[in-house]
Amino acid sequence: MKFYTFPLSPNSLRVVAVANQAHIDLEIVPVDLTKGEQMKPEFLAMNPNHKIPTLVDGDFVLWESTAIMLYLAELKPRSKLVPKERHERMHMFKWITWNLSELQPACVTLQFERFVKKLLNLGDPDPREIEKGEANFHRYAKVLNGHLAGREWLVGTGITLADHHVASSLAHAEPASMPLGGYDHVRNWTRRVFETKAWKKALKALRH
Ligand SMILES: N[C@@H](CCC(=O)N[C@@H](CS)C(=O)NCC(=O)O)C(=O)O
């Protein structure tokens, strides 16, 4: 399976972590976004959104990291990445969609203003954007922190797609100075997620 990606992308990191946990080998194909490689006609033919990550499994092409995670989990049902019990499974979907629409956008704003702009020489952070990003970050970090009190994982008793998905938004918490002070349950849980073999391997494969 070919996996088109850019090393620093949290959307890609969560897919690679899931593949690692499911023991699925991905052939990593780097797409250098800083050089605009996502605009090449051969890449656009696979993903007209010109976005990584994109998965190619034979003649099956799939874009959107969440769909790719679900595909990999379905290939290996024994990996327990998706809970069998219906209510737990719905909670898993809830956390994934919550991340997509609530937490991740706040994290992406802080990441872009404080990390990506510096990396790509795109100018100074915009204080209004940072103010908005921080306000939203606090709103949702509070929800996550409250939920994680007394819990090891987001849903049930083991790590699921929900943990991989939500934690990925915090992968660049340090360089983006995400205001995690006071959210101890979130901090301990992200540490737990990022210290799994699946994440250590993903971070190593994609960061170096
Ligand atoms: N919703 C998509 C988002 C993917 C995404 O935003 N990719 C960014 C990098 S993190 C990208 O490839 N941007 C290049 C571009 O827009 O040209 C997913 O989850 O896969």
Side-chain angles (χ1 to χ4, degrees):
M1 258 182 258
K2 287 191 173 172
F3 187 63
Y4 292 80
T5 183
F6 182 67
L8 294 166
S9 151
N11 296 315
S12 295
L13 282 167
R14 63 192 178 209
V15 173
V16 177
V18 165
N20 291 341
Q21 193 176 323
H23 300 289
I24 294 172
D25 278 330
L26 295 179
E27 183 193 332
I28 304 285
V29 185
V31 178
D32 193 338
L33 301 181
T34 65
K35 294 190 181 139
E37 287 180 0
Q38 75 277 27
M39 303 307 288
K40 287 187 176 171
E42 55 272 32
F43 187 79
L44 289 173
M46 288 186 293
N47 187 342
N49 302 288
H50 50 86
K51 286 193 174 192
I52 55 91
T54 299
L55 182 86
V56 179
D57 185 11
D59 56 8
F60 177 61
V61 179
L62 191 61
W63 35 264
E64 281 300 323
S65 59
T66 308
I68 300 171
M69 290 167 80
L70 286 163
Y71 178 65
L72 298 179
E74 203 171 301
L75 290 180
K76 293 287 179 87
R78 284 201 194 154
S79 60
K80 296 185 178 162
L81 282 154
V82 176
K84 284 213 167 15
E85 200 277 320
R86 180 183 290 141
H87 289 181
E88 286 192 355
R89 201 162 59 251
M90 294 309 121
H91 281 305
M92 180 201 80
F93 285 124
K94 173 193 75 183
W95 283 112
I96 288 176
T97 49
W98 173 84
N99 186 45
L100 286 171
S101 55
E102 318 293 5
L103 181 69
Q104 183 169 324
C107 296
V108 166
T109 300
L110 298 177
Q111 217 168 264
F112 179 72
E113 293 299 329
R114 293 183 170 142
F115 179 44
V116 178
K117 272 187 166 175
K118 205 183 289 171
L119 208 70
L120 301 180
N121 268 324
L122 296 175
D124 293 331
D126 178 339
R128 275 168 312 180
E129 282 299 302
I130 289 194
E131 196 184 327
K132 253 194 286 173
E134 288 208 337
N136 280 327
F137 183 89
H138 284 298
R139 176 173 174 183
Y140 299 115
K142 203 168 144 192
V143 173
L144 187 58
N145 201 57
H147 177 74
L148 284 167
R151 281 192 172 86
E152 205 175 346
W153 306 107
L154 282 177
V155 180
T157 53
I159 189 165
T160 67
L161 292 186
D163 299 282
H164 291 297
H165 206 283
V166 179
S168 70
S169 295
L170 301 164
H172 299 311
E174 236 178 81
S177 302
M178 294 181 196
L180 275 168
Y183 303 116
D184 288 354
H185 301 304
V186 176
R187 287 221 305 258
N188 293 336
W189 163 81
T190 41
R191 211 170 294 136
R192 212 156 33 241
V193 174
F194 295 151
E195 276 174 7
T196 57
K197 268 195 209 152
W199 268 89
K200 277 190 180 162
K201 205 172 152 197
L203 290 165
K204 208 166 158 201
L206 287 189
R207 281 202 174 145
H208 302 289

Coordinates of all heavy atoms in Angstrom, one line a residue, residues 111-173:
Q111 N -1.1 26.2 15.3 CA 0.0 25.6 14.6 C 0.5 26.4 13.4 O 1.7 26.6 13.2 CB -0.5 24.3 14.1 CG 0.4 23.1 14.1 CD -0.4 21.9 13.8 OE1 -0.8 21.2 14.7 NE2 -0.7 21.6 12.5
F112 N -0.5 26.9 12.7 CA -0.2 27.7 11.5 C 0.5 29.0 11.9 O 1.6 29.4 11.4 CB -1.4 28.0 10.7 CG -1.1 28.8 9.5 CD1 -0.5 28.3 8.4 CD2 -1.5 30.2 9.4 CE1 -0.2 29.0 7.2 CE2 -1.2 30.9 8.3 CZ -0.5 30.4 7.2
E113 N -0.1 29.7 12.9 CA 0.4 31.1 13.2 C 1.8 31.0 13.9 O 2.7 31.8 13.6 CB -0.6 31.7 14.2 CG -1.9 32.1 13.6 CD -1.8 33.1 12.4 OE1 -0.8 33.9 12.4 OE2 -2.6 33.0 11.4
R114 N 2.0 30.0 14.7 CA 3.3 30.0 15.5 C 4.3 29.0 15.0 O 5.5 29.1 15.5 CB 2.9 29.6 17.0 CG 2.1 30.6 17.7 CD 1.9 30.2 19.1 NE 1.3 31.2 19.9 CZ 0.4 31.0 20.9 NH1 0.0 29.8 21.1 NH2 -0.1 32.0 21.6
F115 N 4.0 28.1 14.1 CA 4.9 27.1 13.8 C 5.1 27.1 12.2 O 6.2 27.3 11.7 CB 4.4 25.7 14.3 CG 5.2 24.5 14.0 CD1 6.6 24.5 14.1 CD2 4.6 23.3 13.6 CE1 7.3 23.4 13.9 CE2 5.3 22.2 13.3 CZ 6.7 22.2 13.5
V116 N 4.0 26.9 11.5 CA 4.1 26.7 10.0 C 4.6 28.0 9.4 O 5.5 28.0 8.5 CB 2.8 26.3 9.4 CG1 2.9 26.2 7.9 CG2 2.3 25.0 10.0
K117 N 4.1 29.2 9.9 CA 4.5 30.5 9.3 C 6.0 30.7 9.4 O 6.7 31.1 8.4 CB 3.8 31.6 10.0 CG 2.4 32.0 9.4 CD 1.9 33.2 10.1 CE 0.7 33.8 9.3 NZ 0.2 34.9 10.0
K118 N 6.6 30.3 10.6 CA 8.0 30.5 10.8 C 8.8 29.5 9.9 O 9.7 29.9 9.2 CB 8.3 30.1 12.3 CG 9.6 30.8 12.8 CD 9.9 30.4 14.2 CE 9.0 31.0 15.2 NZ 9.2 30.4 16.6
L119 N 8.3 28.3 9.8 CA 8.9 27.2 9.0 C 9.0 27.6 7.5 O 9.9 27.4 6.8 CB 8.1 25.9 9.1 CG 8.7 24.6 9.0 CD1 9.6 24.3 10.2 CD2 7.6 23.5 8.9
L120 N 7.9 28.2 7.0 CA 7.8 28.5 5.6 C 8.0 30.0 5.3 O 7.8 30.4 4.1 CB 6.4 28.1 5.0 CG 6.0 26.6 5.2 CD1 4.6 26.3 4.6 CD2 7.0 25.7 4.5
N121 N 8.5 30.7 6.3 CA 8.8 32.2 6.0 C 7.5 32.9 5.5 O 7.6 33.6 4.6 CB 9.9 32.3 5.0 CG 11.2 32.4 5.7 OD1 11.3 33.0 6.8 ND2 12.2 31.9 5.1
L122 N 6.4 32.7 6.3 CA 5.2 33.4 5.8 C 4.8 34.6 6.6 O 3.7 35.0 6.6 CB 4.0 32.3 5.9 CG 4.2 31.1 5.0 CD1 3.0 30.1 5.2 CD2 4.1 31.5 3.5
G123 N 5.8 35.1 7.3 CA 5.5 36.3 8.1 C 5.2 36.1 9.5 O 5.3 34.9 10.0
D124 N 4.9 37.2 10.2 CA 4.7 37.1 11.7 C 3.3 36.5 12.0 O 2.3 36.6 11.2 CB 4.7 38.5 12.3 CG 6.2 39.1 12.2 OD1 7.1 38.2 12.2 OD2 6.3 40.3 12.1
P125 N 3.2 35.9 13.2 CA 1.9 35.4 13.7 C 0.9 36.6 13.8 O 1.2 37.7 14.1 CB 2.1 34.9 15.1 CG 3.6 34.7 15.2 CD 4.2 35.7 14.2
D126 N -0.4 36.3 13.4 CA -1.4 37.3 13.5 C -2.1 37.3 14.9 O -2.7 36.2 15.2 CB -2.5 37.0 12.4 CG -3.6 38.0 12.4 OD1 -3.9 38.6 13.4 OD2 -4.3 38.1 11.3
P127 N -1.9 38.3 15.7 CA -2.4 38.3 17.1 C -3.9 38.0 17.2 O -4.4 37.3 18.1 CB -2.1 39.6 17.7 CG -1.3 40.4 16.6 CD -1.3 39.6 15.4
R128 N -4.7 38.5 16.2 CA -6.2 38.2 16.2 C -6.5 36.8 16.0 O -7.4 36.2 16.7 CB -6.9 39.1 15.2 CG -7.2 40.5 15.7 CD -7.6 41.4 14.6 NE -6.7 41.2 13.5 CZ -6.7 41.8 12.3 NH1 -7.7 42.7 12.1 NH2 -5.8 41.6 11.4
E129 N -5.7 36.2 15.1 CA -5.9 34.7 14.9 C -5.6 33.9 16.1 O -6.2 33.0 16.5 CB -5.1 34.3 13.7 CG -5.7 34.7 12.3 CD -7.0 34.1 12.1 OE1 -7.1 32.8 12.1 OE2 -8.0 34.8 11.9
I130 N -4.5 34.3 16.7 CA -4.0 33.6 17.9 C -5.0 33.7 19.0 O -5.3 32.7 19.7 CB -2.6 34.1 18.4 CG1 -1.6 33.7 17.3 CG2 -2.2 33.7 19.8 CD1 -0.2 33.7 17.7
E131 N -5.6 34.9 19.2 CA -6.6 35.1 20.2 C -7.8 34.2 20.0 O -8.2 33.5 20.9 CB -7.0 36.6 20.2 CG -7.7 37.0 21.5 CD -8.2 38.4 21.4 OE1 -7.5 39.3 20.8 OE2 -9.3 38.7 22.0
K132 N -8.2 34.1 18.8 CA -9.4 33.3 18.4 C -9.0 31.8 18.6 O -9.8 31.1 19.2 CB -9.7 33.5 16.9 CG -11.0 34.2 16.7 CD -11.5 34.1 15.3 CE -10.6 34.9 14.3 NZ -10.9 34.7 12.9
G133 N -7.8 31.4 18.2 CA -7.4 30.0 18.3 C -7.3 29.6 19.8 O -7.7 28.5 20.2
E134 N -6.7 30.5 20.6 CA -6.6 30.2 22.0 C -7.9 30.1 22.7 O -8.1 29.2 23.5 CB -5.7 31.2 22.7 CG -4.2 31.1 22.3 CD -3.2 31.5 23.4 OE1 -3.6 32.3 24.3 OE2 -2.1 31.0 23.4
A135 N -8.8 31.0 22.4 CA -10.2 30.9 23.0 C -10.8 29.6 22.7 O -11.4 28.9 23.6 CB -11.0 32.1 22.5
N136 N -10.8 29.2 21.4 CA -11.4 27.9 21.0 C -10.7 26.8 21.6 O -11.3 25.8 22.1 CB -11.4 27.8 19.5 CG -12.6 28.6 18.9 OD1 -13.6 28.7 19.6 ND2 -12.4 29.1 17.8
F137 N -9.3 26.9 21.7 CA -8.5 25.8 22.3 C -9.0 25.6 23.7 O -9.3 24.4 24.1 CB -7.1 26.1 22.2 CG -6.2 25.0 22.8 CD1 -5.7 24.0 21.9 CD2 -5.9 24.9 24.1 CE1 -5.0 23.0 22.4 CE2 -5.1 23.9 24.6 CZ -4.6 22.9 23.7
H138 N -9.1 26.6 24.5 CA -9.5 26.5 25.9 C -10.9 25.9 26.0 O -11.2 25.0 26.9 CB -9.5 27.8 26.6 CG -8.1 28.3 27.0 ND1 -7.3 27.5 27.8 CD2 -7.3 29.3 26.6 CE1 -6.1 28.1 27.9 NE2 -6.1 29.2 27.2
R139 N -11.8 26.3 25.2 CA -13.2 25.8 25.2 C -13.2 24.3 25.1 O -13.9 23.6 25.8 CB -14.0 26.5 24.1 CG -15.4 26.0 24.0 CD -16.2 26.7 23.0 NE -17.5 26.1 22.8 CZ -18.4 26.5 21.9 NH1 -18.2 27.5 21.2 NH2 -19.5 25.8 21.9
Y140 N -12.4 23.8 24.1 CA -12.5 22.3 23.9 C -11.5 21.5 24.7 O -11.8 20.4 25.1 CB -12.3 22.1 22.4 CG -13.5 22.8 21.6 CD1 -13.2 23.8 20.7 CD2 -14.8 22.4 21.8 CE1 -14.2 24.5 20.1 CE2 -15.8 23.1 21.2 CZ -15.5 24.1 20.3 OH -16.6 24.8 19.7
A141 N -10.4 22.1 25.1 CA -9.5 21.4 26.0 C -10.1 21.1 27.3 O -9.9 20.1 27.9 CB -8.2 22.2 26.2
K142 N -11.0 22.1 27.7 CA -11.7 21.9 29.0 C -12.6 20.7 28.9 O -12.7 19.9 29.9 CB -12.5 23.2 29.2 CG -12.9 23.5 30.7 CD -13.4 24.9 30.7 CE -14.6 24.9 31.7 NZ -15.3 26.2 31.7
V143 N -13.3 20.5 27.8 CA -14.2 19.4 27.6 C -13.4 18.1 27.6 O -13.8 17.1 28.3 CB -15.0 19.5 26.3 CG1 -15.8 18.3 25.9 CG2 -15.8 20.8 26.3
L144 N -12.3 18.1 26.9 CA -11.5 16.9 26.8 C -10.9 16.5 28.2 O -10.9 15.4 28.6 CB -10.4 17.1 25.8 CG -9.5 16.0 25.4 CD1 -10.3 14.8 24.8 CD2 -8.4 16.4 24.4
N145 N -10.4 17.5 28.9 CA -9.8 17.3 30.2 C -10.9 16.7 31.2 O -10.6 15.8 31.9 CB -9.3 18.6 30.7 CG -8.3 18.5 31.8 OD1 -7.2 17.8 31.6 ND2 -8.5 19.0 33.0
G146 N -12.1 17.3 31.2 CA -13.1 16.8 32.0 C -13.4 15.3 31.7 O -13.6 14.5 32.6
H147 N -13.5 15.0 30.4 CA -13.8 13.6 30.1 C -12.7 12.6 30.5 O -13.0 11.5 30.9 CB -14.0 13.5 28.5 CG -14.3 12.1 28.1 ND1 -15.5 11.5 28.3 CD2 -13.5 11.2 27.4 CE1 -15.5 10.3 27.8 NE2 -14.3 10.1 27.3
L148 N -11.5 13.1 30.4 CA -10.4 12.2 30.7 C -10.1 12.0 32.2 O -9.3 11.1 32.5 CB -9.1 12.7 30.0 CG -9.1 12.4 28.4 CD1 -8.0 13.2 27.8 CD2 -8.9 10.9 28.1
A149 N -10.7 12.7 33.0 CA -10.5 12.6 34.5 C -10.9 11.1 34.8 O -12.0 10.7 34.6 CB -11.3 13.6 35.2
G150 N -10.0 10.4 35.4 CA -10.3 9.0 35.8 C -10.4 8.0 34.6 O -10.8 6.9 34.8
R151 N -10.0 8.4 33.4 CA -10.0 7.5 32.3 C -8.6 7.4 31.7 O -7.9 8.4 31.6 CB -10.9 8.0 31.2 CG -12.4 7.8 31.4 CD -13.1 8.2 30.1 NE -14.5 7.8 30.2 CZ -15.4 8.6 30.7 NH1 -15.1 9.8 31.1 NH2 -16.7 8.2 30.8
E152 N -8.3 6.2 31.2 CA -7.0 6.0 30.5 C -7.2 6.4 29.0 O -6.3 6.9 28.4 CB -6.6 4.6 30.7 CG -5.1 4.4 30.6 CD -4.7 2.9 30.9 OE1 -5.5 2.2 31.4 OE2 -3.6 2.6 30.6
W153 N -8.3 6.0 28.4 CA -8.5 6.2 27.0 C -9.8 6.9 26.8 O -10.7 6.8 27.7 CB -8.4 4.8 26.2 CG -7.2 4.1 26.5 CD1 -7.1 2.9 27.3 CD2 -5.9 4.4 26.1 NE1 -5.8 2.5 27.4 CE2 -5.0 3.4 26.7 CE3 -5.3 5.4 25.3 CZ2 -3.6 3.4 26.5 CZ3 -3.9 5.4 25.1 CH2 -3.1 4.4 25.7
L154 N -10.1 7.4 25.6 CA -11.3 8.2 25.4 C -12.5 7.3 25.4 O -13.6 7.8 25.9 CB -11.2 8.9 24.0 CG -10.4 10.1 23.9 CD1 -10.3 10.7 22.5 CD2 -10.9 11.2 24.9
V155 N -12.4 6.1 24.9 CA -13.6 5.2 24.9 C -13.2 3.8 25.4 O -12.3 3.3 24.9 CB -14.1 5.1 23.4 CG1 -15.3 4.2 23.3 CG2 -14.4 6.4 22.8
G156 N -14.0 3.3 26.3 CA -13.8 1.9 26.7 C -12.4 1.8 27.5 O -12.0 2.7 28.1
T157 N -11.9 0.6 27.3 CA -10.7 0.3 28.1 C -9.4 0.2 27.3 O -8.3 -0.2 27.9 CB -10.9 -1.0 28.9 OG1 -11.3 -2.0 27.9 CG2 -12.0 -0.9 30.0
G158 N -9.5 0.4 26.0 CA -8.2 0.3 25.3 C -8.1 1.5 24.3 O -9.1 2.2 24.1
I159 N -7.0 1.6 23.6 CA -6.8 2.7 22.7 C -7.6 2.4 21.4 O -7.6 1.2 20.9 CB -5.3 2.9 22.4 CG1 -5.0 4.1 21.5 CG2 -4.6 1.6 21.7 CD1 -3.5 4.6 21.5
T160 N -8.3 3.4 20.9 CA -9.1 3.2 19.7 C -8.7 4.3 18.7 O -7.9 5.2 19.0 CB -10.6 3.3 20.0 OG1 -10.9 4.6 20.4 CG2 -11.1 2.3 21.0
L161 N -9.4 4.3 17.5 CA -9.2 5.3 16.5 C -9.5 6.7 17.1 O -8.8 7.7 16.7 CB -10.2 5.1 15.3 CG -10.0 3.9 14.4 CD1 -11.0 4.0 13.3 CD2 -8.6 3.8 13.9
A162 N -10.4 6.8 18.1 CA -10.7 8.1 18.7 C -9.4 8.7 19.4 O -9.1 9.9 19.2 CB -11.8 7.9 19.8
D163 N -8.6 7.9 20.1 CA -7.4 8.4 20.7 C -6.4 8.8 19.7 O -5.8 9.9 19.8 CB -6.8 7.3 21.6 CG -7.7 6.9 22.7 OD1 -7.9 7.6 23.7 OD2 -8.4 5.8 22.6
H164 N -6.2 8.0 18.7 CA -5.2 8.4 17.6 C -5.7 9.7 16.9 O -4.8 10.5 16.6 CB -5.1 7.2 16.6 CG -4.5 6.0 17.1 ND1 -3.2 5.9 17.6 CD2 -5.0 4.7 17.3 CE1 -2.9 4.7 18.0 NE2 -4.0 4.0 17.8
H165 N -7.0 9.8 16.7 CA -7.5 11.0 16.0 C -7.3 12.2 16.8 O -6.7 13.2 16.3 CB -8.9 10.7 15.6 CG -9.4 11.5 14.4 ND1 -9.6 12.8 14.4 CD2 -9.6 11.1 13.1 CE1 -10.0 13.2 13.2 NE2 -10.0 12.2 12.4
V166 N -7.8 12.2 18.0 CA -7.8 13.5 18.8 C -6.4 13.8 19.2 O -6.0 15.0 19.1 CB -8.8 13.3 20.0 CG1 -8.7 14.6 20.9 CG2 -10.2 13.0 19.6
A167 N -5.6 12.8 19.6 CA -4.2 13.1 20.1 C -3.4 13.8 19.0 O -2.5 14.6 19.2 CB -3.6 11.9 20.6
S168 N -3.7 13.4 17.7 CA -2.9 13.9 16.6 C -3.0 15.4 16.5 O -2.0 16.1 16.1 CB -3.3 13.3 15.3 OG -4.6 13.8 14.9
S169 N -4.1 16.0 17.0 CA -4.2 17.5 16.9 C -3.2 18.1 17.9 O -2.9 19.3 17.7 CB -5.6 17.9 17.4 OG -6.6 17.4 16.4
L170 N -2.7 17.3 18.8 CA -1.8 17.9 19.8 C -0.3 17.5 19.6 O 0.5 17.7 20.4 CB -2.2 17.5 21.2 CG -3.7 17.9 21.6 CD1 -4.2 17.2 22.8 CD2 -3.7 19.4 21.9
A171 N -0.1 16.9 18.4 CA 1.2 16.4 18.1 C 2.3 17.6 18.0 O 3.4 17.4 18.4 CB 1.2 15.7 16.7
H172 N 1.8 18.8 17.7 CA 2.8 19.9 17.6 C 2.4 20.9 18.7 O 2.6 22.1 18.6 CB 2.7 20.6 16.2 CG 3.1 19.7 15.1 ND1 4.2 18.9 15.1 CD2 2.5 19.4 13.9 CE1 4.3 18.2 14.0 NE2 3.3 18.5 13.3
A173 N 1.9 20.4 19.8 CA 1.5 21.3 20.9 C 2.7 22.2 21.4 O 2.5 23.4 21.7 CB 1.0 20.5 22.1

